[in-house]
């Protein structure tokens, strides 16, 4: 009852204050898009948009130079065009002249001013400032430390790189790179996290932390579609129900317009074993399943200089390969995930990226015969004499790891499971404390380089993302060559060759490629989706 009262109270406030926009043409009254964020939101400052909950909210409020479309291609946003010069070392962006920050007391007369190139210089340098401690500071690691950013005039921005980095446009589409106004940061300081001022399609209205968050339509947003100014929605209402089953019930009752992901608490209630909506829900709402740039895998510590690696049977390539052949991934997806996900038959690079190619990347398919032959070759026929191997995981993935334990047990490979708290698990992986661990990699930007960088020897953890501490001179050379190539088709060849090296050396056991599952009410249209699972509400009609 209290929850309903709070929602109603906020909606009354929403109507009282007005949406600063004409009456919507679709439906009666204002069109309010409602979704739940069970994990909560810690900040509305782009500098701290590190998790999906924050990224989704920030994306509605702010804008950047470029954005990704549903095909993961960079498209103009505040930058109407750009040029790449000096062999990929200079990016020149030409900005629109009709983009304004939201009206706010930080500006003279409370009226938002035009976004200019110097605002991006300020925003980017702020991300790099160590005193800000932004988790996104790494996004500008490729920027020349001396020339970095320059604004020769209000409509031109220059970015200088120290080395060619073809995925750079994808990085600029990340929410870390959204533009913020200096005036608002100086006025609100650390409170900017809860008093955001952007230039995006929606304007911040109010935030009752842990209860509800309200955004209103930006009546001055610069984008038009078919002659109508975006966005179509009048408001967004985000609730913070922590219990995912309760959020599911709210969606079923029509109190939420959108639900992302399938939680174990209601998975079997909603889906058939083959991943379809159960008949009682068919037609009552829409389900959209798309490839999601998230690769789930088991990591194997590979640095022979570490004593725990030297003592481990996993140092033997044939054993690593046997483990890869010994897991029936299709059965795992069917039994544990109701066929939501794609069983891996290729490499680390997932579907949705151009260099995913299960025809050219020699991944692993289930084969007891091949696994047994490899164990014999390693000197452990039927696993005899093979020491027990500990697989480390977290509570959310115990069922998956138990499946793997049983599968490998059929080969004679004895697996012991050890579950840790998620934060402790991440810390131990980052500091090379675990020989064999469950992990996943969600793309930061839509380029296969983001996955292959996990195996570049100069990225050894803890200073980089190479958690397996894999090192291979041929791989390193191909990786460095790929960064010099601007042609995507030529770069794809490098990526495929690198992925094949990873599969041959087997420092990982790729389990499956994730899929995003979105449920939406039948009256919601134009809710796009891409491999980054970004929530983009500016074109949505309710």
């Amino acid at each position: 009852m209290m929850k309903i009262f709070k929602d109603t109270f906020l909606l009354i406030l929403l109507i009282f204050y007005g949406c600063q926009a004409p009456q919507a043409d679709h439906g009666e009254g204002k069109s309010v898009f409602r979704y739940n964020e069970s994990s909560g939101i810690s900040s509305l400052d782009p500098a701290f948009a590190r998790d999906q909950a924050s990224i989704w909210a920030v994306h509605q409020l702010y804008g950047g130079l470029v954005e990704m479309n549903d095909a993961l291609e960079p498209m103009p946003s505040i930058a109407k065009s750009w040029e790449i010069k000096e062999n990929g070392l200079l990016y020149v962006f030409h900005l629109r002249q009709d983009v304004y920050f939201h009206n706010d007391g930080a500006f003279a007369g409370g009226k938002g001013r035009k976004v200019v190139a110097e605002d991006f210089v300020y925003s980017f340098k702020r991300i790099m400032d160590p005193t800000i401690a932004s988790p996104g500071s790494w996004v500008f690691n490729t920027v020349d430390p001396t020339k970095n950013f320059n604004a020769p005039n209000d409509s031109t921005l220059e970015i200088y790189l120290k080395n060619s980095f073809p995925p750079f446009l994808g990085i600029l589409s990340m929410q870390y790179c959204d533009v913020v106004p200096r005036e608002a940061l100086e006025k609100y300081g650390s409170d900017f996290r809860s008093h955001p001022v952007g230039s995006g399609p929606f304007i911040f209205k109010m935030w009752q932390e842990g209860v509800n968050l309200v955004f209103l339509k930006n009546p001055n947003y610069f984008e038009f579609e078919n002659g109508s100014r975006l966005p179509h929605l009048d408001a967004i209402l985000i609730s913070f129900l922590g219990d995912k089953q309760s959020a599911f019930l709210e969606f079923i009752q029509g109190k939420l317009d959108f639900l992302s992901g399938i939680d174990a608490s209601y998975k079997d209630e909603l889906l058939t074993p083959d991943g379809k909506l159960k008949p009682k829900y068919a037609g009552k709402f829409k389900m959209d399943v798309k490839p999601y740039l998230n690769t789930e895998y088991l990591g194997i510590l590979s640095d022979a200089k570490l004593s725990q690696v030297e003592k481990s049977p996993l140092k033997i390539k044939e054993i690593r390969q046997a483990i890869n052949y010994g897991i029936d991934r299709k059965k795992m997806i069917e039994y544990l995930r109701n066929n939501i996900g794609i069983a891996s038959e290729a490499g680390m690079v997932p579907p949705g990226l151009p260099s995913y190619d299960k025809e050219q990347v020699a991944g692993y398919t289930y084969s007891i015969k091949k696994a047994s032959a490899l164990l014999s070759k390693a000197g452990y026929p039927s696993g005899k004499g093979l020491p027990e191997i500990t697989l480390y995981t977290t509570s959310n993935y115990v069922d998956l790891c138990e499946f793997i334990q049983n599968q490998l047990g059929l080969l004679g490979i004895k697996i012991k499971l050890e579950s840790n708290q998620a934060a402790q698990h991440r810390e131990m992986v980052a500091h090379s404390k675990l020989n064999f661990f469950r992990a996943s990699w969600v793309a930061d930007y839509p380029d296969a380089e983001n996955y292959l960088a996990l195996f570049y020897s100069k990225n050894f953890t803890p200073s980089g993302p190479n958690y397996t501490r894999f090192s291979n001179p041929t791989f390193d050379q191909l990786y460095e060559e790929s960064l010099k190539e601007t042609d995507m088709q030529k770069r794809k060849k490098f990526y495929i060759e690198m992925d094949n090296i990873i599969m041959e050396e087997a420092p990982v056991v790729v389990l499956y490629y994730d899929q995003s599952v979105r449920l939406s009410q039948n009256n919601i249209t134009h809710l796009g989706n891409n491999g980054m699972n970004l929530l983009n509400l500016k074109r949505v009609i309710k």
Side-chain angles (χ1 to χ4, degrees), residues 262-278:
I262 303 296
D263 190 68
S265 63
Y266 57 82
K267 171 173 66 73
D268 294 326
E269 158 69 15
L270 180 69
L271 300 176
T272 62
D274 62 351
K276 307 297 183 184
L277 283 177
K278 285 193 170 179

mmCIF file with all atom_site columns, all heavy atoms in Angstrom, residues 262-278:
data_model
loop_
_atom_site.group_PDB
_atom_site.id
_atom_site.type_symbol
_atom_site.label_atom_id
_atom_site.label_alt_id
_atom_site.label_comp_id
_atom_site.label_asym_id
_atom_site.label_entity_id
_atom_site.label_seq_id
_atom_site.pdbx_PDB_ins_code
_atom_site.Cartn_x
_atom_site.Cartn_y
_atom_site.Cartn_z
_atom_site.occupancy
_atom_site.B_iso_or_equiv
_atom_site.pdbx_formal_charge
_atom_site.auth_seq_id
_atom_site.auth_comp_id
_atom_site.auth_asym_id
_atom_site.auth_atom_id
_atom_site.pdbx_PDB_model_num
ATOM 1   N N   . ILE A 1 262 ? 15.790 -11.930 -17.323 1.00 0.00 ? 262 ILE A N   1
ATOM 2   C CA  . ILE A 1 262 ? 14.951 -13.000 -16.772 1.00 0.00 ? 262 ILE A CA  1
ATOM 3   C C   . ILE A 1 262 ? 15.637 -13.509 -15.509 1.00 0.00 ? 262 ILE A C   1
ATOM 4   O O   . ILE A 1 262 ? 16.724 -14.080 -15.571 1.00 0.00 ? 262 ILE A O   1
ATOM 5   C CB  . ILE A 1 262 ? 14.780 -14.163 -17.777 1.00 0.00 ? 262 ILE A CB  1
ATOM 6   C CG1 . ILE A 1 262 ? 14.185 -13.650 -19.099 1.00 0.00 ? 262 ILE A CG1 1
ATOM 7   C CG2 . ILE A 1 262 ? 13.916 -15.244 -17.179 1.00 0.00 ? 262 ILE A CG2 1
ATOM 8   C CD1 . ILE A 1 262 ? 12.794 -13.098 -18.980 1.00 0.00 ? 262 ILE A CD1 1
ATOM 9   N N   . ASP A 1 263 ? 15.015 -13.286 -14.366 1.00 0.00 ? 263 ASP A N   1
ATOM 10  C CA  . ASP A 1 263 ? 15.586 -13.714 -13.095 1.00 0.00 ? 263 ASP A CA  1
ATOM 11  C C   . ASP A 1 263 ? 15.153 -15.150 -12.787 1.00 0.00 ? 263 ASP A C   1
ATOM 12  O O   . ASP A 1 263 ? 14.066 -15.591 -13.187 1.00 0.00 ? 263 ASP A O   1
ATOM 13  C CB  . ASP A 1 263 ? 15.133 -12.779 -11.973 1.00 0.00 ? 263 ASP A CB  1
ATOM 14  C CG  . ASP A 1 263 ? 15.882 -13.023 -10.684 1.00 0.00 ? 263 ASP A CG  1
ATOM 15  O OD1 . ASP A 1 263 ? 17.094 -12.735 -10.648 1.00 0.00 ? 263 ASP A OD1 1
ATOM 16  O OD2 . ASP A 1 263 ? 15.266 -13.515 -9.719  1.00 0.00 ? 263 ASP A OD2 1
ATOM 17  N N   . ALA A 1 264 ? 16.011 -15.851 -12.055 1.00 0.00 ? 264 ALA A N   1
ATOM 18  C CA  . ALA A 1 264 ? 15.715 -17.244 -11.711 1.00 0.00 ? 264 ALA A CA  1
ATOM 19  C C   . ALA A 1 264 ? 14.418 -17.373 -10.910 1.00 0.00 ? 264 ALA A C   1
ATOM 20  O O   . ALA A 1 264 ? 13.743 -18.411 -10.977 1.00 0.00 ? 264 ALA A O   1
ATOM 21  C CB  . ALA A 1 264 ? 16.875 -17.837 -10.918 1.00 0.00 ? 264 ALA A CB  1
ATOM 22  N N   . SER A 1 265 ? 14.041 -16.327 -10.178 1.00 0.00 ? 265 SER A N   1
ATOM 23  C CA  . SER A 1 265 ? 12.854 -16.390 -9.323  1.00 0.00 ? 265 SER A CA  1
ATOM 24  C C   . SER A 1 265 ? 11.557 -16.546 -10.119 1.00 0.00 ? 265 SER A C   1
ATOM 25  O O   . SER A 1 265 ? 10.557 -17.035 -9.594  1.00 0.00 ? 265 SER A O   1
ATOM 26  C CB  . SER A 1 265 ? 12.774 -15.151 -8.427  1.00 0.00 ? 265 SER A CB  1
ATOM 27  O OG  . SER A 1 265 ? 12.621 -13.972 -9.207  1.00 0.00 ? 265 SER A OG  1
ATOM 28  N N   . TYR A 1 266 ? 11.551 -16.127 -11.391 1.00 0.00 ? 266 TYR A N   1
ATOM 29  C CA  . TYR A 1 266 ? 10.332 -16.267 -12.195 1.00 0.00 ? 266 TYR A CA  1
ATOM 30  C C   . TYR A 1 266 ? 10.588 -16.872 -13.574 1.00 0.00 ? 266 TYR A C   1
ATOM 31  O O   . TYR A 1 266 ? 9.692  -16.936 -14.412 1.00 0.00 ? 266 TYR A O   1
ATOM 32  C CB  . TYR A 1 266 ? 9.615  -14.917 -12.341 1.00 0.00 ? 266 TYR A CB  1
ATOM 33  C CG  . TYR A 1 266 ? 10.444 -13.800 -12.937 1.00 0.00 ? 266 TYR A CG  1
ATOM 34  C CD1 . TYR A 1 266 ? 10.610 -13.672 -14.315 1.00 0.00 ? 266 TYR A CD1 1
ATOM 35  C CD2 . TYR A 1 266 ? 11.046 -12.845 -12.126 1.00 0.00 ? 266 TYR A CD2 1
ATOM 36  C CE1 . TYR A 1 266 ? 11.353 -12.652 -14.863 1.00 0.00 ? 266 TYR A CE1 1
ATOM 37  C CE2 . TYR A 1 266 ? 11.799 -11.806 -12.674 1.00 0.00 ? 266 TYR A CE2 1
ATOM 38  C CZ  . TYR A 1 266 ? 11.945 -11.710 -14.037 1.00 0.00 ? 266 TYR A CZ  1
ATOM 39  O OH  . TYR A 1 266 ? 12.685 -10.692 -14.568 1.00 0.00 ? 266 TYR A OH  1
ATOM 40  N N   . LYS A 1 267 ? 11.812 -17.337 -13.806 1.00 0.00 ? 267 LYS A N   1
ATOM 41  C CA  . LYS A 1 267 ? 12.176 -17.883 -15.116 1.00 0.00 ? 267 LYS A CA  1
ATOM 42  C C   . LYS A 1 267 ? 11.224 -18.994 -15.563 1.00 0.00 ? 267 LYS A C   1
ATOM 43  O O   . LYS A 1 267 ? 10.700 -18.972 -16.681 1.00 0.00 ? 267 LYS A O   1
ATOM 44  C CB  . LYS A 1 267 ? 13.621 -18.392 -15.051 1.00 0.00 ? 267 LYS A CB  1
ATOM 45  C CG  . LYS A 1 267 ? 14.097 -19.180 -16.257 1.00 0.00 ? 267 LYS A CG  1
ATOM 46  C CD  . LYS A 1 267 ? 15.584 -19.494 -16.163 1.00 0.00 ? 267 LYS A CD  1
ATOM 47  C CE  . LYS A 1 267 ? 15.899 -20.441 -15.021 1.00 0.00 ? 267 LYS A CE  1
ATOM 48  N NZ  . LYS A 1 267 ? 15.470 -21.817 -15.293 1.00 0.00 ? 267 LYS A NZ  1
ATOM 49  N N   . ASP A 1 268 ? 11.007 -19.973 -14.685 1.00 0.00 ? 268 ASP A N   1
ATOM 50  C CA  . ASP A 1 268 ? 10.186 -21.119 -15.079 1.00 0.00 ? 268 ASP A CA  1
ATOM 51  C C   . ASP A 1 268 ? 8.698  -20.791 -15.102 1.00 0.00 ? 268 ASP A C   1
ATOM 52  O O   . ASP A 1 268 ? 7.918  -21.499 -15.752 1.00 0.00 ? 268 ASP A O   1
ATOM 53  C CB  . ASP A 1 268 ? 10.463 -22.289 -14.133 1.00 0.00 ? 268 ASP A CB  1
ATOM 54  C CG  . ASP A 1 268 ? 11.894 -22.810 -14.271 1.00 0.00 ? 268 ASP A CG  1
ATOM 55  O OD1 . ASP A 1 268 ? 12.418 -22.771 -15.392 1.00 0.00 ? 268 ASP A OD1 1
ATOM 56  O OD2 . ASP A 1 268 ? 12.477 -23.215 -13.249 1.00 0.00 ? 268 ASP A OD2 1
ATOM 57  N N   . GLU A 1 269 ? 8.306  -19.746 -14.402 1.00 0.00 ? 269 GLU A N   1
ATOM 58  C CA  . GLU A 1 269 ? 6.923  -19.288 -14.462 1.00 0.00 ? 269 GLU A CA  1
ATOM 59  C C   . GLU A 1 269 ? 6.630  -18.645 -15.811 1.00 0.00 ? 269 GLU A C   1
ATOM 60  O O   . GLU A 1 269 ? 5.527  -18.782 -16.363 1.00 0.00 ? 269 GLU A O   1
ATOM 61  C CB  . GLU A 1 269 ? 6.671  -18.280 -13.324 1.00 0.00 ? 269 GLU A CB  1
ATOM 62  C CG  . GLU A 1 269 ? 5.498  -17.331 -13.514 1.00 0.00 ? 269 GLU A CG  1
ATOM 63  C CD  . GLU A 1 269 ? 4.142  -18.022 -13.456 1.00 0.00 ? 269 GLU A CD  1
ATOM 64  O OE1 . GLU A 1 269 ? 4.074  -19.177 -12.988 1.00 0.00 ? 269 GLU A OE1 1
ATOM 65  O OE2 . GLU A 1 269 ? 3.153  -17.413 -13.884 1.00 0.00 ? 269 GLU A OE2 1
ATOM 66  N N   . LEU A 1 270 ? 7.616  -17.983 -16.379 1.00 0.00 ? 270 LEU A N   1
ATOM 67  C CA  . LEU A 1 270 ? 7.439  -17.195 -17.596 1.00 0.00 ? 270 LEU A CA  1
ATOM 68  C C   . LEU A 1 270 ? 7.711  -17.979 -18.873 1.00 0.00 ? 270 LEU A C   1
ATOM 69  O O   . LEU A 1 270 ? 6.989  -17.848 -19.862 1.00 0.00 ? 270 LEU A O   1
ATOM 70  C CB  . LEU A 1 270 ? 8.357  -15.972 -17.538 1.00 0.00 ? 270 LEU A CB  1
ATOM 71  C CG  . LEU A 1 270 ? 8.333  -15.010 -18.716 1.00 0.00 ? 270 LEU A CG  1
ATOM 72  C CD1 . LEU A 1 270 ? 7.006  -14.256 -18.760 1.00 0.00 ? 270 LEU A CD1 1
ATOM 73  C CD2 . LEU A 1 270 ? 9.497  -14.023 -18.622 1.00 0.00 ? 270 LEU A CD2 1
ATOM 74  N N   . LEU A 1 271 ? 8.768  -18.811 -18.849 1.00 0.00 ? 271 LEU A N   1
ATOM 75  C CA  . LEU A 1 271 ? 9.273  -19.409 -20.082 1.00 0.00 ? 271 LEU A CA  1
ATOM 76  C C   . LEU A 1 271 ? 9.078  -20.915 -20.132 1.00 0.00 ? 271 LEU A C   1
ATOM 77  O O   . LEU A 1 271 ? 9.146  -21.609 -19.114 1.00 0.00 ? 271 LEU A O   1
ATOM 78  C CB  . LEU A 1 271 ? 10.766 -19.110 -20.234 1.00 0.00 ? 271 LEU A CB  1
ATOM 79  C CG  . LEU A 1 271 ? 11.190 -17.641 -20.295 1.00 0.00 ? 271 LEU A CG  1
ATOM 80  C CD1 . LEU A 1 271 ? 12.716 -17.545 -20.345 1.00 0.00 ? 271 LEU A CD1 1
ATOM 81  C CD2 . LEU A 1 271 ? 10.569 -16.942 -21.498 1.00 0.00 ? 271 LEU A CD2 1
ATOM 82  N N   . THR A 1 272 ? 8.901  -21.413 -21.344 1.00 0.00 ? 272 THR A N   1
ATOM 83  C CA  . THR A 1 272 ? 8.943  -22.850 -21.593 1.00 0.00 ? 272 THR A CA  1
ATOM 84  C C   . THR A 1 272 ? 10.408 -23.285 -21.590 1.00 0.00 ? 272 THR A C   1
ATOM 85  O O   . THR A 1 272 ? 11.316 -22.444 -21.666 1.00 0.00 ? 272 THR A O   1
ATOM 86  C CB  . THR A 1 272 ? 8.313  -23.178 -22.954 1.00 0.00 ? 272 THR A CB  1
ATOM 87  O OG1 . THR A 1 272 ? 9.082  -22.534 -23.986 1.00 0.00 ? 272 THR A OG1 1
ATOM 88  C CG2 . THR A 1 272 ? 6.875  -22.705 -23.031 1.00 0.00 ? 272 THR A CG2 1
ATOM 89  N N   . PRO A 1 273 ? 10.693 -24.585 -21.516 1.00 0.00 ? 273 PRO A N   1
ATOM 90  C CA  . PRO A 1 273 ? 12.093 -25.033 -21.527 1.00 0.00 ? 273 PRO A CA  1
ATOM 91  C C   . PRO A 1 273 ? 12.873 -24.587 -22.760 1.00 0.00 ? 273 PRO A C   1
ATOM 92  O O   . PRO A 1 273 ? 14.101 -24.474 -22.711 1.00 0.00 ? 273 PRO A O   1
ATOM 93  C CB  . PRO A 1 273 ? 11.965 -26.568 -21.472 1.00 0.00 ? 273 PRO A CB  1
ATOM 94  C CG  . PRO A 1 273 ? 10.674 -26.799 -20.765 1.00 0.00 ? 273 PRO A CG  1
ATOM 95  C CD  . PRO A 1 273 ? 9.761  -25.706 -21.247 1.00 0.00 ? 273 PRO A CD  1
ATOM 96  N N   . ASP A 1 274 ? 12.180 -24.352 -23.884 1.00 0.00 ? 274 ASP A N   1
ATOM 97  C CA  . ASP A 1 274 ? 12.897 -23.925 -25.087 1.00 0.00 ? 274 ASP A CA  1
ATOM 98  C C   . ASP A 1 274 ? 12.944 -22.405 -25.242 1.00 0.00 ? 274 ASP A C   1
ATOM 99  O O   . ASP A 1 274 ? 13.265 -21.885 -26.313 1.00 0.00 ? 274 ASP A O   1
ATOM 100 C CB  . ASP A 1 274 ? 12.298 -24.565 -26.344 1.00 0.00 ? 274 ASP A CB  1
ATOM 101 C CG  . ASP A 1 274 ? 10.846 -24.172 -26.572 1.00 0.00 ? 274 ASP A CG  1
ATOM 102 O OD1 . ASP A 1 274 ? 10.251 -23.539 -25.667 1.00 0.00 ? 274 ASP A OD1 1
ATOM 103 O OD2 . ASP A 1 274 ? 10.312 -24.498 -27.643 1.00 0.00 ? 274 ASP A OD2 1
ATOM 104 N N   . GLY A 1 275 ? 12.625 -21.677 -24.161 1.00 0.00 ? 275 GLY A N   1
ATOM 105 C CA  . GLY A 1 275 ? 12.833 -20.234 -24.169 1.00 0.00 ? 275 GLY A CA  1
ATOM 106 C C   . GLY A 1 275 ? 11.702 -19.410 -24.741 1.00 0.00 ? 275 GLY A C   1
ATOM 107 O O   . GLY A 1 275 ? 11.880 -18.215 -24.995 1.00 0.00 ? 275 GLY A O   1
ATOM 108 N N   . LYS A 1 276 ? 10.527 -19.993 -24.933 1.00 0.00 ? 276 LYS A N   1
ATOM 109 C CA  . LYS A 1 276 ? 9.374  -19.246 -25.441 1.00 0.00 ? 276 LYS A CA  1
ATOM 110 C C   . LYS A 1 276 ? 8.463  -18.846 -24.281 1.00 0.00 ? 276 LYS A C   1
ATOM 111 O O   . LYS A 1 276 ? 8.499  -19.442 -23.210 1.00 0.00 ? 276 LYS A O   1
ATOM 112 C CB  . LYS A 1 276 ? 8.580  -20.087 -26.444 1.00 0.00 ? 276 LYS A CB  1
ATOM 113 C CG  . LYS A 1 276 ? 9.408  -20.669 -27.584 1.00 0.00 ? 276 LYS A CG  1
ATOM 114 C CD  . LYS A 1 276 ? 10.024 -19.596 -28.457 1.00 0.00 ? 276 LYS A CD  1
ATOM 115 C CE  . LYS A 1 276 ? 10.794 -20.238 -29.629 1.00 0.00 ? 276 LYS A CE  1
ATOM 116 N NZ  . LYS A 1 276 ? 11.483 -19.208 -30.440 1.00 0.00 ? 276 LYS A NZ  1
ATOM 117 N N   . LEU A 1 277 ? 7.643  -17.811 -24.522 1.00 0.00 ? 277 LEU A N   1
ATOM 118 C CA  . LEU A 1 277 ? 6.660  -17.437 -23.508 1.00 0.00 ? 277 LEU A CA  1
ATOM 119 C C   . LEU A 1 277 ? 5.668  -18.571 -23.315 1.00 0.00 ? 277 LEU A C   1
ATOM 120 O O   . LEU A 1 277 ? 5.224  -19.200 -24.279 1.00 0.00 ? 277 LEU A O   1
ATOM 121 C CB  . LEU A 1 277 ? 5.908  -16.178 -23.939 1.00 0.00 ? 277 LEU A CB  1
ATOM 122 C CG  . LEU A 1 277 ? 6.615  -14.829 -23.787 1.00 0.00 ? 277 LEU A CG  1
ATOM 123 C CD1 . LEU A 1 277 ? 5.738  -13.720 -24.348 1.00 0.00 ? 277 LEU A CD1 1
ATOM 124 C CD2 . LEU A 1 277 ? 6.977  -14.545 -22.335 1.00 0.00 ? 277 LEU A CD2 1
ATOM 125 N N   . LYS A 1 278 ? 5.321  -18.844 -22.072 1.00 0.00 ? 278 LYS A N   1
ATOM 126 C CA  . LYS A 1 278 ? 4.310  -19.859 -21.813 1.00 0.00 ? 278 LYS A CA  1
ATOM 127 C C   . LYS A 1 278 ? 2.973  -19.413 -22.403 1.00 0.00 ? 278 LYS A C   1
ATOM 128 O O   . LYS A 1 278 ? 2.699  -18.206 -22.492 1.00 0.00 ? 278 LYS A O   1
ATOM 129 C CB  . LYS A 1 278 ? 4.198  -20.106 -20.312 1.00 0.00 ? 278 LYS A CB  1
ATOM 130 C CG  . LYS A 1 278 ? 5.364  -20.923 -19.764 1.00 0.00 ? 278 LYS A CG  1
ATOM 131 C CD  . LYS A 1 278 ? 5.104  -21.427 -18.371 1.00 0.00 ? 278 LYS A CD  1
ATOM 132 C CE  . LYS A 1 278 ? 6.175  -22.431 -17.955 1.00 0.00 ? 278 LYS A CE  1
ATOM 133 N NZ  . LYS A 1 278 ? 5.972  -22.923 -16.579 1.00 0.00 ? 278 LYS A NZ  1
#
